Amino acid sequence: MSTPAATRVPQEERTRVMRQRLMDATVELLVEKGFGGTTTTLVSERAGVSRGAQLHHFPTKNDLVVAAVAHLTAIRGSDLEAAVARLPRGRGRTEAVVQMLGEHFASTVFTAALELWVAARTDAHLHEAVAPLEQHLGRETHRLTVELLDIDESQPGARELVQATLDLVRGLGLANTLGDDARRRRRILTEWARTLDAALRNPQGDDA
């Protein structure tokens, strides 16, 4: 009676691994070729999965990309968690947090997410999948930034400072898609960290 279970578990694992390869291949192709250049044929070839197997799980490109949205969101969350674990304590904390956010939004997974944002603007089905996940990730990133910088959002202007930080790193991440902008990004974020530190230390704007 144990034979069905013994065969079912390996099959489930093979399916999980195959779907993982398809998701990873989709993200890679979104970065390399953009949304328009990402096709189901290229994804199956990159993943090393037969077209029949791929079409069984994801009959259309949108089915594949919608699944990749959730996969990409999970990757971005995991990347942020890993980066947070490496942050220093004490002096220089603010700049380390800001630079970490800058690196995250200049990463290849953010580039893939941008491709989906642009495509979702004119694709209702894709927008339905992308928008809620991006909103959730945005809220979590905001919460994480507040926590990492130990910001009291009840203070006037504090919430706006957090949002300005996130808008800045997203904008710099967008600029990075047109070419390596790392040196400029680091200089800008170093100055922003100083501004942020000063504002957080003196939230009322009182004269020192």
Side-chain angles (χ1 to χ4, degrees):
M1 297 295 293
S2 62
T3 303
T7 56
R8 184 168 62 251
V9 172
Q11 178 58 41
E12 290 171 354
E13 178 63 14
R14 284 197 297 273
T15 298
R16 186 193 69 77
V17 170
M18 182 195 68
R19 289 175 68 92
Q20 179 76 30
R21 293 210 311 263
L22 286 168
M23 296 299 94
D24 288 340
T26 302
V27 172
E28 288 173 9
L29 286 165
L30 284 169
V31 173
E32 293 175 20
K33 298 183 178 296
F35 181 81
T38 298
T39 66
T40 54
T41 300
L42 286 175
V43 169
S44 62
E45 289 174 356
R46 175 69 63 90
V49 172
S50 72
R51 283 281 290 155
Q54 184 225 313
L55 291 172
H56 173 72
H57 291 278
F58 305 108
T60 69
K61 175 179 174 177
N62 258 20
D63 292 329
L64 183 61
V65 171
V66 165
V69 170
H71 178 64
L72 186 58
T73 302
I75 292 174
R76 290 170 67 191
S78 296
D79 284 355
L80 272 174
E81 288 178 10
V84 165
R86 297 191 294 269
L87 288 171
R89 296 280 178 186
R91 187 176 179 83
R93 172 80 167 182
T94 300
E95 181 172 357
V97 170
V98 171
Q99 296 287 1
M100 179 272 290
L101 290 169
E103 290 295 323
H104 173 73
F105 283 98
S107 67
T108 54
V109 291
F110 180 67
T111 301
L114 279 176
E115 287 292 328
L116 295 176
W117 292 1
V118 173
R121 188 180 67 84
T122 55
D123 186 317
H125 182 55
L126 190 56
H127 186 274
E128 187 178 344
V130 171
L133 288 170
E134 282 299 328
Q135 289 165 5
H136 172 73
L137 188 59
R139 287 192 297 268
E140 284 301 298
T141 305
H142 183 103
R143 179 196 60 76
L144 182 64
T145 304
V146 169
E147 180 182 306
L148 292 174
L149 294 175
D150 194 24
I151 291 174
D152 178 3
E153 285 198 289
S154 69
Q155 293 292 336
R159 183 173 181 81
E160 287 74 18
L161 282 171
V162 174
Q163 198 55 57
T165 300
L166 295 176
D167 287 346
L168 174 60
V169 292
R170 286 191 189 98
L172 291 170
L174 177 59
N176 197 68
T177 62
L178 301 177
D180 186 359
D181 204 35
R183 291 179 62 187
R184 173 176 170 271
R185 180 178 69 251
R186 284 193 290 268
R187 290 197 304 269
I188 289 171
L189 293 179
T190 293
E191 290 304 316
W192 176 248
R194 291 172 183 161
T195 300
L196 197 56
D197 253 339
L200 294 174
R201 284 197 306 269
N202 189 21
Q204 301 299 330
D206 299 330
D207 293 333

